[in-house]
Amino acid sequence: MLTDKQTLKTFSEIRSALTEIDHQRKDNTLSETERELLELSAVRLREAERELIEAKEKNITTGLDRSIKNLSALTKDIRKSVARMNKTVSTLDSIESIIKQLVKILTYTNTIVK
Protein backbone atom coordinates (compact mmCIF):
# COMPACT_ATOMS: atom_id res chain seq x y z
CA MET A 1 0.00 0.00 0.00
CA LEU A 2 1.36 3.38 -0.99
CA THR A 3 1.66 6.24 1.45
CA ASP A 4 -0.10 9.50 0.66
CA LYS A 5 3.22 11.02 -0.37
CA GLN A 6 4.01 8.11 -2.69
CA THR A 7 0.52 8.24 -4.16
CA LEU A 8 0.81 11.96 -4.90
CA LYS A 9 4.23 11.41 -6.47
CA THR A 10 2.84 8.59 -8.64
CA PHE A 11 -0.11 10.73 -9.72
CA SER A 12 2.28 13.52 -10.60
CA GLU A 13 4.48 11.17 -12.64
CA ILE A 14 1.48 9.78 -14.52
CA ARG A 15 0.18 13.28 -15.26
CA SER A 16 3.61 14.38 -16.51
CA ALA A 17 3.91 11.31 -18.73
CA LEU A 18 0.42 11.88 -20.15
CA THR A 19 1.24 15.51 -20.86
CA GLU A 20 4.42 14.49 -22.66
CA ILE A 21 2.61 11.83 -24.69
CA ASP A 22 -0.13 14.31 -25.66
CA HIS A 23 2.56 16.74 -26.75
CA GLN A 24 4.38 14.08 -28.80
CA ARG A 25 1.16 12.93 -30.49
CA LYS A 26 0.79 16.37 -32.07
CA ASP A 27 3.92 15.76 -34.12
CA ASN A 28 2.86 15.45 -37.78
CA THR A 29 5.97 13.48 -38.68
CA LEU A 30 4.99 10.44 -36.58
CA SER A 31 4.39 7.18 -38.34
CA GLU A 32 1.12 5.32 -37.80
CA THR A 33 2.95 2.78 -35.63
CA GLU A 34 4.54 5.49 -33.47
CA ARG A 35 1.21 7.26 -33.07
CA GLU A 36 -0.44 3.95 -32.14
CA LEU A 37 2.27 3.22 -29.55
CA LEU A 38 1.75 6.66 -28.02
CA GLU A 39 -2.02 6.04 -27.94
CA LEU A 40 -1.53 2.69 -26.21
CA SER A 41 0.88 4.27 -23.74
CA ALA A 42 -1.69 6.95 -22.90
CA VAL A 43 -4.40 4.31 -22.43
CA ARG A 44 -2.16 2.26 -20.11
CA LEU A 45 -1.24 5.36 -18.10
CA ARG A 46 -4.91 6.27 -17.69
CA GLU A 47 -5.64 2.70 -16.57
CA ALA A 48 -2.82 2.94 -14.01
CA GLU A 49 -4.25 6.26 -12.84
CA ARG A 50 -7.72 4.72 -12.39
CA GLU A 51 -6.27 1.75 -10.50
CA LEU A 52 -4.40 4.12 -8.21
CA ILE A 53 -7.60 6.07 -7.57
CA GLU A 54 -9.55 2.87 -6.87
CA ALA A 55 -6.88 1.67 -4.44
CA LYS A 56 -6.98 5.01 -2.64
CA GLU A 57 -10.80 4.89 -2.50
CA LYS A 58 -10.67 1.39 -0.99
CA ASN A 59 -8.15 2.61 1.56
CA ILE A 60 -10.39 5.55 2.49
CA THR A 61 -13.46 3.31 2.65
CA THR A 62 -11.66 0.83 4.90
CA GLY A 63 -10.60 3.67 7.19
CA LEU A 64 -14.14 5.02 7.32
CA ASP A 65 -15.53 1.55 8.10
CA ARG A 66 -13.03 1.23 10.94
CA SER A 67 -14.01 4.68 12.25
CA ILE A 68 -17.71 3.79 12.09
CA LYS A 69 -17.10 0.60 14.11
CA ASN A 70 -15.11 2.56 16.71
CA LEU A 71 -17.81 5.21 16.87
CA SER A 72 -20.49 2.55 17.25
CA ALA A 73 -18.62 0.97 20.16
CA LEU A 74 -18.17 4.37 21.78
CA THR A 75 -21.88 5.13 21.32
CA LYS A 76 -22.79 1.86 23.08
CA ASP A 77 -20.49 2.74 25.98
CA ILE A 78 -22.02 6.21 26.24
CA ARG A 79 -25.54 4.75 26.24
CA LYS A 80 -24.57 2.35 29.04
CA SER A 81 -23.08 5.21 31.05
CA VAL A 82 -26.15 7.38 30.50
CA ALA A 83 -28.41 4.52 31.58
CA ARG A 84 -26.38 4.10 34.79
CA MET A 85 -26.45 7.85 35.39
CA ASN A 86 -30.22 7.92 34.85
CA LYS A 87 -30.63 5.20 37.47
CA THR A 88 -28.52 7.25 39.88
CA VAL A 89 -30.57 10.38 39.16
CA SER A 90 -33.78 8.42 39.65
CA THR A 91 -32.50 7.13 42.98
CA LEU A 92 -31.51 10.67 44.02
CA ASP A 93 -34.95 11.92 43.02
CA SER A 94 -36.54 9.27 45.24
CA ILE A 95 -34.27 10.18 48.15
CA GLU A 96 -35.11 13.86 47.63
CA SER A 97 -38.83 13.07 47.76
CA ILE A 98 -38.37 11.09 50.97
CA ILE A 99 -36.36 13.90 52.57
CA LYS A 100 -39.05 16.44 51.57
CA GLN A 101 -41.69 14.26 53.21
CA LEU A 102 -39.56 13.93 56.34
CA VAL A 103 -39.13 17.71 56.48
CA LYS A 104 -42.92 18.15 56.18
CA ILE A 105 -43.50 15.59 58.92
CA LEU A 106 -40.86 17.15 61.19
CA THR A 107 -42.22 20.65 60.52
CA TYR A 108 -45.77 19.50 61.26
CA THR A 109 -44.65 17.61 64.34
CA ASN A 110 -42.63 20.58 65.49
CA THR A 111 -45.65 22.90 65.22
CA ILE A 112 -47.84 20.50 67.19
CA VAL A 113 -45.29 20.03 69.96
CA LYS A 114 -44.93 23.81 70.52
Side-chain angles (χ1 to χ4, degrees):
M1 181 181 300
L2 296 175
T3 65
D4 288 341
K5 192 173 184 177
Q6 291 169 325
T7 301
L8 288 174
K9 183 179 179 195
T10 303
F11 271 128
S12 178
E13 290 170 350
I14 289 172
R15 296 315 277 140
S16 294
L18 282 167
T19 300
E20 181 61 30
I21 287 171
D22 287 340
H23 177 72
Q24 289 177 7
R25 286 185 354 204
K26 293 177 185 177
D27 186 351
N28 292 332
T29 63
L30 291 175
S31 69
E32 190 62 35
T33 303
E34 290 171 324
R35 192 173 306 284
E36 196 173 300
L37 286 173
L38 287 172
E39 273 297 320
L40 288 174
S41 296
V43 168
R44 297 291 182 257
L45 284 169
R46 285 190 179 90
E47 286 174 357
E49 186 179 45
R50 279 191 292 278
E51 288 174 10
L52 192 59
I53 290 169
E54 287 174 11
K56 213 52 181 159
E57 286 174 348
K58 286 179 185 176
N59 186 21
I60 290 169
T61 302
T62 300
L64 288 173
D65 284 341
R66 209 172 313 124
S67 294
I68 289 169
K69 288 177 185 174
N70 291 340
L71 183 59
S72 179
L74 182 60
T75 301
K76 286 180 184 179
D77 290 343
I78 290 171
R79 283 190 179 120
K80 287 178 186 176
S81 294
V82 168
R84 279 195 308 271
M85 289 170 57
N86 283 339
K87 287 180 184 176
T88 302
V89 170
S90 178
T91 302
L92 290 173
D93 285 342
S94 297
I95 292 170
E96 179 187 10
S97 294
I98 292 170
I99 292 172
K100 283 180 180 178
Q101 291 301 319
L102 283 172
V103 167
K104 285 181 182 178
I105 292 170
L106 290 173
T107 303
Y108 179 74
T109 307
N110 209 10
T111 55
I112 292 178
V113 172
K114 286 185 179 181

